[in-house]
Amino acid sequence: SARALEAHELALLFDPQTSGGLLAALPPDAAAGCVEALRGEGHAAALIGEIVSADGAEVEIRCEGSFGPG
């Protein structure tokens, strides 16, 4: 269930260098719910890719689409 964020949690949503967005990596089964919750609170959010493999220091990330409103 939804709850109000604490000040320290809100601070994590903003990059103080750019006042821009946040890129987060979540488990696949949690990502869609997170996007839905963020949008429900009026934030722009989108799934933009996935980690397709990770082997030691090498990580492959597939990005699709673009980030934008709704």
Side-chain angles (χ1 to χ4, degrees):
S1 72
R3 66 172 176 80
L5 296 177
E6 301 288 331
H8 69 278
E9 293 170 315
L10 285 171
L12 292 174
L13 295 176
F14 301 97
D15 178 356
Q17 295 179 50
T18 64
S19 296
L22 174 72
L23 177 63
L26 301 168
D29 60 341
C34 180
V35 168
E36 182 179 324
L38 287 167
R39 287 181 178 171
E41 293 293 323
H43 302 287
L47 297 175
I48 61 167
E50 65 180 317
I51 297 173
V52 293
S53 68
D55 182 24
E58 188 172 325
V59 176
E60 179 183 350
I61 300 173
R62 179 176 39 228
C63 295
E64 300 172 353
S66 62
F67 179 78

